[in-house]
Amino acid sequence: MPSIFTRIAEREIPGYFVAESEDFFAILDINPLQKGHTLVVPKMEVDYIFNLPDELLGNYFQFSKRVAKAIENVVACDRIGVAVVGLEVPHAHIHLIPINNIDDMNFSRPKLSVDKDELRQIAEDISAKFI
């Protein structure tokens, strides 16, 4: 059975896309820790990030870096925090989270509620900065 991320990649389920390539895509987290919280996902359906083939893993981090730079150009923050948790969805993904302090990446904190129009605008703004 395809994961939720595969279904989003295939456009069966909507997503707020900020970037896409042949092998990866990046979407806004709809339950973000911070505005601009983005998930970077390989299109290859792999449950554990370190089970990706070596070449794909290297390309995955390069793609993620480009997405992070685009987020930094849109969301005011000191840095982009990076997290790979891998337990909540059985499909590898990297969290890119705009942060100003360590607590901004605390996954036990309540998630933000961001309306669809704002999510759409943030996605468009980040996408426009993706190089």
Side-chain angles (χ1 to χ4, degrees), residues 43-63:
K43 290 182 179 177
M44 176 185 283
E45 206 169 84
V46 171
D47 181 31
Y48 182 48
I49 191 171
F50 294 122
N51 287 341
L52 286 166
D54 290 346
E55 182 178 316
L56 195 61
L57 184 61
N59 292 340
Y60 187 23
F61 276 91
Q62 290 175 7
F63 182 84

Side-chain angles (χ1 to χ4, degrees), residues 41-116:
V41 184
K43 290 182 179 177
M44 176 185 283
E45 206 169 84
V46 171
D47 181 31
Y48 182 48
I49 191 171
F50 294 122
N51 287 341
L52 286 166
D54 290 346
E55 182 178 316
L56 195 61
L57 184 61
N59 292 340
Y60 187 23
F61 276 91
Q62 290 175 7
F63 182 84
S64 296
K65 177 182 177 180
R66 292 171 50 213
V67 173
K69 294 295 184 183
I71 296 167
E72 287 178 330
N73 281 301
V74 172
V75 180
C77 61
D78 288 337
R79 298 193 177 206
I80 300 297
V82 179
V84 178
V85 182
L87 299 174
E88 63 281 1
V89 177
H91 190 138
H93 58 287
I94 294 172
H95 294 262
L96 299 178
I97 305 167
I99 62 172
N100 294 302
N101 62 67
I102 191 80
D103 196 48
D104 290 342
M105 286 189 63
N106 182 345
F107 281 86
S108 63
R109 287 180 49 198
K111 307 304 184 270
L112 298 179
S113 177
V114 183
D115 73 49
K116 292 179 181 186

Side-chain angles (χ1 to χ4, degrees), residues 13-62:
I13 297 174
Y16 296 94
F17 282 78
V18 301
E20 187 168 17
S21 72
E22 181 179 328
D23 295 318
F24 314 104
F25 65 96
I27 55 173
L28 291 181
D29 191 315
I30 59 170
N31 296 302
L33 291 174
Q34 303 295 324
K35 289 182 182 180
H37 179 167
T38 300
L39 306 174
V40 184
V41 184
K43 290 182 179 177
M44 176 185 283
E45 206 169 84
V46 171
D47 181 31
Y48 182 48
I49 191 171
F50 294 122
N51 287 341
L52 286 166
D54 290 346
E55 182 178 316
L56 195 61
L57 184 61
N59 292 340
Y60 187 23
F61 276 91
Q62 290 175 7

